[in-house]
Amino acid sequence: MSKPRVGIFGLTSCAGDQLAILNCEDELLDIIGAVDLKSFVMAQSDNEEKEFDVAFVEGAVVTEENEEKLREVREKSAILVAIGTCACWGGIPASANGIERVELYRQVYDTEEDYFKCGRTVLPLKEIVRVDLSVPGCPIEKDQIIAAVGSLLHGVSPVLPTYAVCTECRFKENRCLLVKDDLLCCGPITLAGCGARCPSHGLPCKGCRGPVEEPNAASEFDILKEKGYTRHDLEKAFRTFAYSIEIPERA
Amino acid sequence: MVARTIPSHANIRLLAKKNLGDLLEVLGRWGTVYAPVEKQPDVYTFAETTDLSAIALGYLRTALPPKRFMYPPEERLYNFTLSKGFEEPPQSEDRQILFGVHPCDIHAFSILDLVFAGPYPEPRYFKRRRRTAIIGLDCLPDVNCFCYSMDTDSVERGFDLFLTDIGEDYFVRVGSSWGEEVVRACKDLFTGLKEGSIEEYKRRADARSRMFESHVEMSDMPQIMELEFSNPLWEELGEKCLSCGSCSIVCPTCYCYDIIDQFDLKGDSGSRTRRWDSCLFKEFAQVAGFNFRQDRSTRVKLRYYHKQIAFVEEYGRSSCVGCGRCIETCPAKINIIEVLNEIRGKKVMSHAG
């Protein structure tokens, strides 16, 4: 059996997910040995961009160029895996959505010109092309990318957590920052997989892994409202990494 | 009036409180001792220690119940390779002592025993159970404790030794031959009953039973729950529930698990892992192409119906022991005491009132 042809690509993001792959130091040779790595601009030269069995794509679609690249990769790939919260949910770049763009150009670049052609709504990959598998995280977790590669080699999807950060936090017997300390913790609506890393260090969950499949944002809002937080506080917290989370009004 | 002689009870001793540290030291020679410690403010866990000064003797409830010592949250069941097939990773043979287990959690072990004993006995659970000694400890309730209503506030079996605070001494009940061996091996630490110890034991038992603030009338509960299947309360709970699974993870009797197979990068090997699951998770009832508990309300309802009806039908009692962990843990403040009372059409009753 020939090794699967793999490409690893970055759109707009900090490139931290690609770096997380390179950080799999102990397993890196196994990964490289198991696949035929055709393209990984961050790590190698002489990249070949013909056809891929699996493409891993990091980053949000911020520019027209990003969209073209994404469509091209989708076209050439049998399986497309979104890696990182930017690719899965829009991430930090998408927190610009809903803000007057000219105002942002002025603040960031001191000009009103759309110099980088980034005036469009920032979108996650799934809003533009079919995504076969999502591995969120900011950055992605090492063990999950290894699990994903291992499973894909066998032609199956990896079993990644679908439950909330609270689950892992309870496993660790952490003091609940939401219930006991009244902190604005996004744990109940945020996808697990990080081992509740921040709450384990006394910091409330920021939602960096994006939401669970059906986040009950209305209930989380009710809980936090009682503790004195405003709708604005919550939207700011929930939407830092996933711009699309809505907090429904209760009837 | 005839002076009452102190009867000798073969299975009852006294342990002077000043001797507790020595007892822990002896237990530590037999195996690894896990006792309640305060790991963060107001958060207790069973941690390895024989240091009496580190042990929170007056703890209310640990964050996770002690079931994790028999049934860990996550456990690798097998490694598999193309050449060797399935291989079970070696399991520890070390003896362990759970010190300071409250009556509700001891009852919970008896319930898990029923579940894991059949029809397909779970060898890992019982292997750990057999190498574990349980030293019970009495406790005083808070508002979330309703073991009194669940008939689990006191315990007659399921422990090796059980310690009840009666002032200067612990009233020690011996519940197993191993417990008897400990008592015999530590002759200097234990004494027979003293003048007044029985009266003090009874006085404290009465006083404790009056301390429960929260009550649920459990009589005929399965039938009443059947009748309330369409109560709008279930929808309301579905609106509140976050599906975070916290209630089931901290439950001393929840036993559902998921099985995860993972292939490794070599292409010819992998592993099978068991991890605690929760009926509150959306995927719990996901089968090929269909989810038969799509709505949160049906999942919350299932949790109650399984504990209070299905389990009773199968094992003759509710699988809730009234430990109050789910109440303390739920971010959305779903409170089983209130739910059960509302289902009965009652407000929470105060025993003290």
Side-chain angles (χ1 to χ4, degrees):
Chain A
M1 195 177 77
S2 62
K3 291 176 182 175
R5 293 157 300 177
V6 166
I8 301 173
F9 305 94
L11 304 177
T12 296
S13 64
C14 70
D17 302 304
Q18 296 174 74
L19 194 59
I21 295 174
L22 288 176
N23 280 345
C24 297
E25 292 172 357
D26 294 340
E27 299 85 2
L28 198 56
L29 289 177
D30 288 335
I31 297 176
I32 304 296
V35 304
D36 181 5
L37 192 58
K38 291 287 185 196
S39 178
F40 189 4
V41 171
M42 183 192 250
Q44 68 182 23
S45 39
D46 296 330
N47 291 297
E48 183 190 305
E49 308 219 347
K50 283 184 188 156
E51 283 188 320
F52 305 102
D53 294 300
V54 187
F56 295 91
V57 183
E58 166 180 359
V61 177
V62 175
T63 63
E64 299 306 324
E65 195 190 332
N66 284 160
E67 176 163 348
E68 275 167 36
K69 181 71 187 173
L70 175 62
R71 288 189 188 280
E72 181 199 321
V73 170
R74 175 70 272 185
E75 188 80 9
K76 290 175 174 171
S77 311
I79 293 170
L80 190 144
V81 184
I83 54 168
T85 302
C86 292
C88 298
W89 294 102
I92 303 249
S95 63
N97 291 342
I99 304 175
E100 188 59 52
R101 211 45 66 92
V102 175
E103 175 57 27
L104 287 176
Y105 298 152
R106 214 181 287 129
Q107 279 180 26
V108 180
Y109 302 116
D110 199 21
T111 170
E112 289 191 6
E113 196 191 338
D114 183 4
Y115 188 74
F116 290 103
K117 307 237 175 325
C118 53
R120 53 181 292 156
T121 302
V122 178
L123 293 173
L125 311 189
K126 65 182 174 189
E127 297 296 329
I128 293 170
V129 297
R130 191 185 85 240
V131 170
D132 301 295
L133 174 67
S134 293
V135 184
C138 189
I140 49 171
E141 297 291 329
K142 228 175 94 166
D143 62 327
Q144 290 187 3
I145 200 70
I146 292 166
V149 175
S151 296
L152 290 171
L153 283 170
H154 288 264
V156 294
S157 287
V159 182
L160 301 176
T162 54
Y163 41 79
V165 169
C166 289
T167 307
E168 292 181 328
C169 210
R170 298 286 73 75
F171 278 179
K172 294 199 161 176
E173 300 193 286
N174 291 329
R175 181 178 162 92
C176 182
L177 300 169
L178 176 64
V179 171
K180 293 201 168 168
D181 294 329
D182 296 333
L183 295 176
L184 202 172
C185 185
C186 296
I189 58 166
T190 300
L191 189 69
C194 55
R197 190 176 283 116
C198 296
S200 299
H201 289 89
L203 299 168
C205 173
K206 300 283 184 203
C208 80
R209 297 179 50 75
V212 290
E213 190 188 332
E214 269 179 16
N216 191 347
S219 177
E220 168 110 20
F221 181 33
D222 287 344
I223 293 163
L224 287 163
K225 223 169 22 182
E226 230 186 275
K227 300 180 190 293
Y229 293 95
T230 65
R231 192 176 189 87
H232 177 71
D233 294 334
L234 303 196
E235 285 177 347
K236 213 172 128 190
F238 293 176
R239 292 182 186 167
T240 302
F241 292 92
Y243 76 104
S244 55
I245 293 189
E246 294 292 338
I247 305 169
E249 290 283 358
R250 286 280 202 218
Chain B
M1 212 169 113
V2 182
R4 190 176 166 192
T5 55
I6 303 168
S8 109
H9 293 276
N11 59 345
I12 296 169
R13 301 287 198 290
L14 290 186
L15 173 74
K17 280 187 176 169
K18 63 177 168 56
N19 289 341
L20 184 57
D22 290 343
L23 175 64
L24 285 162
E25 202 264 321
V26 172
L27 294 173
R29 278 184 252 158
W30 187 82
T32 310
V33 177
Y34 296 93
V37 301
E38 191 171 11
K39 66 172 284 216
Q40 279 174 282
D42 203 26
V43 179
Y44 299 91
T45 184
F46 283 96
E48 186 181 335
T49 185
T50 51
D51 174 9
L52 184 57
S53 67
I55 297 175
L57 291 168
Y59 84 103
L60 256 169
R61 54 180 74 82
T62 49
L64 282 182
K67 77 174 175 189
R68 69 188 170 95
F69 290 94
M70 320 292 174
Y71 174 38
E74 191 169 304
E75 180 177 16
R76 186 169 287 199
L77 301 180
Y78 301 105
N79 295 313
F80 52 84
T81 53
L82 210 52
S83 52
K84 292 185 201 155
F86 285 92
E87 279 185 314
E88 213 174 321
Q91 228 188 309
S92 167
E93 304 283 338
D94 298 345
R95 292 180 294 196
Q96 55 189 10
I97 297 133
L98 301 181
F99 176 86
V101 185
H102 288 167
C104 55
D105 285 340
I106 294 176
H107 278 282
F109 278 131
S110 301
I111 287 168
L112 290 178
D113 287 350
L114 292 172
V115 173
F116 286 125
Y120 304 102
E122 211 301 272
R124 282 163 224 269
Y125 172 86
F126 286 107
K127 210 171 166 186
R128 291 197 181 93
R129 195 83 165 90
R130 277 193 295 275
R131 61 179 175 81
T132 306
I134 291 178
I135 316 282
L137 181 67
D138 78 323
C139 46
L140 299 175
D142 75 349
V143 68
N144 295 334
C145 292
F146 62 110
C147 52
Y148 191 79
S149 303
M150 302 311 296
D151 203 16
T152 50
D153 56 314
S154 62
V155 65
E156 284 75 45
R157 50 187 278 274
F159 54 82
D160 293 284
L161 295 172
F162 192 97
L163 277 53
T164 305
D165 183 344
I166 57 162
E168 284 178 10
D169 302 290
Y170 286 107
F171 186 96
V172 181
R173 289 186 286 153
V174 180
S176 72
S177 53
W178 181 84
E180 183 61 30
E181 277 176 38
V182 171
V183 169
R184 281 170 195 265
C186 309
K187 275 204 182 70
D188 300 344
L189 302 182
F190 294 91
T191 62
L193 290 178
K194 286 194 259 183
E195 184 74 46
S197 28
I198 292 175
E199 284 66 29
E200 185 58 14
Y201 181 83
K202 289 197 295 188
R203 193 189 68 74
R204 286 183 184 242
D206 274 356
R208 178 172 177 266
S209 67
R210 282 193 302 273
M211 286 175 75
F212 289 91
E213 295 169 59
S214 300
H215 291 268
V216 181
E217 176 54 60
M218 289 305 293
S219 156
D220 209 19
M221 187 59 92
Q223 182 56 55
I224 289 167
M225 293 213 28
E226 286 282 14
L227 295 169
E228 295 298 327
F229 192 82
S230 303
N231 193 311
L233 176 66
W234 304 118
E235 288 296 328
E236 287 168 33
L237 295 175
E239 298 271 297
K240 286 172 92 174
C241 177
L242 295 151
S243 300
C244 70
S246 292
C247 52
S248 67
I249 289 156
V250 301
C251 177
T253 64
C254 274
Y255 50 81
C256 289
Y257 58 80
D258 197 7
I259 294 285
I260 297 117
D261 287 345
Q262 181 58 54
F263 296 102
D264 74 8
L265 294 165
K266 299 273 187 203
D268 64 348
S269 55
S271 61
R272 169 166 289 186
T273 299
R274 176 171 73 185
R275 186 168 58 208
W276 290 357
D277 204 350
S278 170
C279 53
L280 283 315
F281 295 163
K282 193 175 177 192
E283 277 199 348
F284 188 83
Q286 177 80 46
V287 293
F290 178 67
N291 190 328
F292 51 92
R293 277 188 291 276
Q294 185 78 25
D295 298 329
R296 271 194 300 268
S297 65
T298 62
R299 302 201 290 271
V300 178
K301 182 153 74 173
L302 171 87
R303 180 169 157 78
Y304 280 87
Y305 275 57
H306 183 244
K307 296 259 173 211
Q308 310 298 347
I309 302 179
F311 200 90
V312 183
E313 283 170 358
E314 194 166 358
Y315 297 105
R317 59 149 300 150
S318 159
S319 63
C320 174
V321 294
C323 72
R325 285 187 179 88
C326 56
I327 306 171
E328 187 178 305
T329 307
C330 180
K333 294 187 179 162
I334 295 177
N335 182 321
I336 181 172
I337 300 170
E338 291 170 8
V339 171
L340 294 179
N341 279 313
E342 193 161 335
I343 284 298
R344 286 196 87 97
K346 286 186 181 183
K347 289 282 159 212
V348 180
M349 284 166 24
S350 170
H351 187 268

